Amino acid sequence: MAGGHFGPAGVAKERAEQYQGRVTISVVIACVVAAVGGSLFGYDIGISGGVTLMDGFLLKFFPGVYEKKKRVHENNYCKYNDQGLSSFTSSLYLAGLVASLIASPVTRTYGRRASIICGGVSFLIGATLNASAANLAMLLLGRIMLGVGIGFGNQAVPVYLSEMAPTHLRGGLNMMFQLATTTGIFTANMINYGTRKLDPWGWRLSLGLAAVPAVLMAVGGILLPETPNSLIERGMQDKGRKVLEKIRGTKNVDAEFEDMVDASELANSIKHPFRNILIKRNRPQLVMAILLPAFQILTGINSILFYAPVLFQSMGFGGNASFYASAVTGAVLCSSTFITIATVDRVGRRFLLISGGIQMIICQVIVSVILGLKYDDNQQLSKGFSVLVVVMICLFVLAFGWSWGGLGWTIPSEIFPLETRSAGQSITVAVNLVFTFAIAQSFLSLLCAFKFGIFLFFAGWILLMTIFVYFFLPETKGVPIEEMIFLWRKHWFWKRIVPGNPGGGYSSTGLGERTTE
């Protein structure tokens, strides 16, 4: 031997055809309750843009922006360009980035439920601070606590859903997270539409109502069962099997249970998941964990959702019309998720990502052309072109909703082996929040600098990500979560990188290097 030994090899053979079980009421309830965590993320995305347009909020915290807003001669694209105002939106995501990395060992050591509960409690504290904010420091502290809640929730909930769902419906049930997110966005838009009339304190109600999904998430986390994968990984095999039998509705779960036991043996031999995730065997998953969340944000969707009221008002819509238009886009995004739920386990992930990408590119280009030809710095769009812009943005949001919206979370949560799943999801969330922070902080400046070209900027990124999916993302539809390793070994490109010997051992030193005779 070359100074090593054969350690646990993980899942060594494919047993997918032997999996038994059906969709049970218990697994549906568990997935629905857990998915409420997505509403925290969605509610904040939807509420932030509307609150930053309310005069009472701007007068208290950003009086300079309020004065600039009142100057009708101000450059339409630049009147909301303020780094302090951008910091209000983006500070949350920087806090979430740090929290997501802390959440990884919590999720692995104490279970998925522990992180879900931590997320709900942190978000509740943040909502309370925001609603009662007396100064900018208090407001930003509240945003940071909201970020901690989102970091924990987004790290744990997608993994929880992927592990609880049966293989043949994993995509649809995982979409519950995206459905909750889009429902949160739409709800926030409607709340903003009502509270904007409650001057000067309506913004407090908008921010404070974030406590509702926070309480639901925290209480849900207490009542939910732990995933069998997590229980087995933590040495509770008997309890894990009982949960597996309950959620599958049958005692004939031997094949799936054996996969989990094999995966847990390798997982427990890995002492440093973040170090292990860097080894060659995990290279494809690491690439996906970095690029998929980055691409999701680079579609430009968060810019539209964060700043929808600001964006529409910058394009010449009146105050009421801008809120109404953003509420419509929120409703479209929410409804589009049902398309994914109905089709993701039938047509597959790749088809939805590619078709959605093509439609988003077309819509972005059309909007850019209209604004470039028909809209100058200090004039408004005609009614006809305004309607066309809203329609194109709605079609863009629709395409995002059925493609990158949910699948940008679903795919990373299902492709990692158990030993690096928590670390991998933390990287996914961290990358998502890094790019969310960057776009949130820079979008108003980019809008001011690029003007209509901002839509072409995002269209270019969508073209790149669609090409990437076509060539490098294998189809994960119907593949058991603990057998994803076989998928990479069969892919035309990744098989050159992933070791092809399913029986090859991996050392239990925590370094993850494969040892040979």
Side-chain angles (χ1 to χ4, degrees):
M1 296 182 66
H5 64 280
F6 283 101
V11 180
K13 63 179 182 179
E14 297 180 74
R15 304 185 181 99
E17 294 181 357
Q18 302 171 37
Y19 277 29
Q20 301 289 320
R22 55 185 172 82
V23 181
T24 60
I25 295 296
S26 59
V27 78
V28 172
I29 292 175
C31 288
V32 169
V33 173
V36 170
S39 65
L40 304 185
F41 195 35
Y43 187 86
D44 184 79
I45 290 173
I47 215 73
S48 299
V51 165
T52 55
L53 269 190
M54 296 183 186
D55 290 346
F57 177 82
L58 292 176
L59 273 171
K60 185 168 185 63
F61 299 110
F62 305 100
V65 179
Y66 177 78
E67 291 300 323
K68 192 186 296 186
K69 174 184 175 182
K70 293 302 180 185
R71 297 176 198 152
V72 294
H73 64 278
E74 188 80 41
N75 184 313
N76 279 322
Y77 287 108
C78 300
K79 58 187 174 183
Y80 291 98
N81 182 21
D82 182 89
Q83 287 301 301
L85 185 60
S86 296
S87 296
F88 164 75
T89 300
S90 60
S91 59
L92 178 150
Y93 303 101
L94 199 57
L97 186 163
V98 177
S100 68
L101 299 177
I102 298 172
S104 174
V106 174
T107 303
R108 189 182 191 210
T109 306
Y110 300 103
R112 290 36 167 162
R113 291 171 61 243
S115 286
I116 292 174
I117 294 169
C118 287
V121 172
S122 299
F123 206 86
L124 179 60
I125 295 171
T128 303
L129 287 171
N130 274 178
S132 57
N135 51 54
L136 185 58
M138 193 173 175
L139 183 74
L140 292 179
L141 179 60
R143 295 290 293 174
I144 289 171
M145 291 305 299
L146 292 178
V148 172
I150 285 177
F152 271 87
N154 285 14
Q155 198 277 342
V157 171
V159 170
Y160 184 92
L161 296 173
S162 287
E163 291 183 342
M164 291 293 282
T167 297
H168 65 289
L169 288 177
R170 187 177 61 243
L173 288 176
N174 205 298
M175 279 299 125
M176 294 295 179
F177 180 78
Q178 176 67 4
L179 179 61
T181 301
T182 55
T183 301
I185 292 170
F186 176 66
T187 302
N189 285 333
M190 298 311 296
I191 288 172
N192 277 339
Y193 189 71
T195 58
R196 68 188 173 82
K197 302 173 184 177
L198 304 176
D199 195 52
W201 55 272
W203 62 270
R204 292 189 184 274
L205 183 58
S206 288
L207 295 176
L209 285 174
V212 175
V215 170
L216 291 176
M217 180 175 170
V219 173
I222 295 171
L223 299 177
L224 288 173
E226 187 55 86
T227 70
N229 310 64
S230 178
L231 291 169
I232 294 169
E233 181 183 15
R234 291 183 285 139
M236 293 176 272
Q237 290 195 10
D238 291 341
K239 189 174 181 180
R241 181 168 183 121
K242 288 179 181 178
V243 172
L244 183 61
E245 290 175 354
K246 181 178 180 180
I247 63 177
R248 298 294 180 257
T250 178
K251 291 188 176 296
N252 187 14
V253 293
D254 291 344
E256 189 170 3
F257 180 72
E258 287 172 20
D259 274 353
M260 291 181 184
V261 171
D262 288 349
S264 70
E265 289 176 355
L266 178 57
N268 289 325
S269 74
I270 303 300
K271 303 305 179 185
H272 306 286
F274 280 102
R275 190 189 306 173
N276 186 263
I277 209 171
L278 298 175
I279 68 172
K280 199 171 184 180
R281 175 180 186 259
N282 293 319
R283 194 67 44 77
Q285 299 97 311
L286 179 61
V287 170
M288 297 302 166
I290 294 172
L291 291 184
L292 292 185
F295 285 156
Q296 184 190 52
I297 303 305
L298 288 171
T299 60
I301 187 66
N302 279 10
S303 303
I304 291 174
L305 297 178
F306 284 152
Y307 299 111
V310 172
L311 187 63
F312 283 122
Q313 201 163 82
S314 293
M315 292 189 301
F317 291 75
N320 290 343
S322 65
F323 271 106
Y324 183 71
S326 62
V328 169
T329 58
V332 169
L333 181 60
C334 184
S335 61
S336 68
T337 309
F338 290 100
I339 299 175
T340 319
I341 292 174
T343 60
V344 66
D345 290 308
R346 296 182 182 179
V347 302
R349 283 68 158 156
R350 282 168 48 84
F351 175 83
L352 292 176
L353 288 174
I354 293 170
S355 61
I358 292 171
Q359 181 167 318
M360 285 191 287
I361 292 169
I362 293 171
C363 293
Q364 294 268 36
V365 170
I366 291 175
V367 169
S368 182
V369 169
I370 292 173
L371 296 182
L373 295 178
K374 299 296 182 179
Y375 183 59
D376 293 328
D377 283 348
N378 301 302
Q379 71 179 46
Q380 294 189 345
L381 283 173
S382 66
K383 183 177 180 180
F385 281 112
S386 296
V387 171
L388 183 56
V389 166
V390 172
V391 169
M392 286 298 106
I393 288 180
C394 284
L395 289 175
F396 167 83
V397 170
L398 181 70
F400 174 85
W402 88 54
S403 58
W404 285 91
L407 294 176
W409 291 108
T410 296
I411 295 172
S413 74
E414 67 184 3
I415 59 176
F416 278 94
L418 183 60
E419 71 268 18
T420 56
R421 191 168 297 148
S422 292
Q425 185 63 19
S426 287
I427 291 173
T428 298
V429 176
V431 172
N432 181 284
L433 294 176
V434 164
F435 278 84
T436 301
F437 170 80
I439 294 297
Q441 189 66 30
S442 64
F443 176 71
L444 294 177
S445 297
L446 289 173
L447 179 64
C448 181
F450 288 178
K451 300 181 173 58
F452 63 89
I454 189 71
F455 293 96
L456 294 179
F457 171 77
F458 289 123
W461 281 108
I462 299 171
L463 176 62
L464 178 63
M465 65 186 73
T466 303
I467 294 171
F468 175 84
V469 167
Y470 182 82
F471 285 106
F472 297 107
L473 181 66
E475 181 55 67
T476 59
K477 178 187 71 172
V479 181
I481 192 171
E482 303 299 355
E483 296 186 4
M484 287 290 172
I485 186 64
F486 300 107
L487 196 65
W488 307 108
R489 290 175 181 152
K490 297 173 184 176
H491 187 267
W492 73 271
F493 178 79
W494 298 117
K495 68 181 180 181
R496 308 173 192 178
I497 297 173
V498 178
N501 179 14
Y506 291 83
S507 72
S508 56
T509 62
L511 298 177
E513 296 297 336
R514 195 160 68 121
T515 58
T516 57
E517 292 282 359

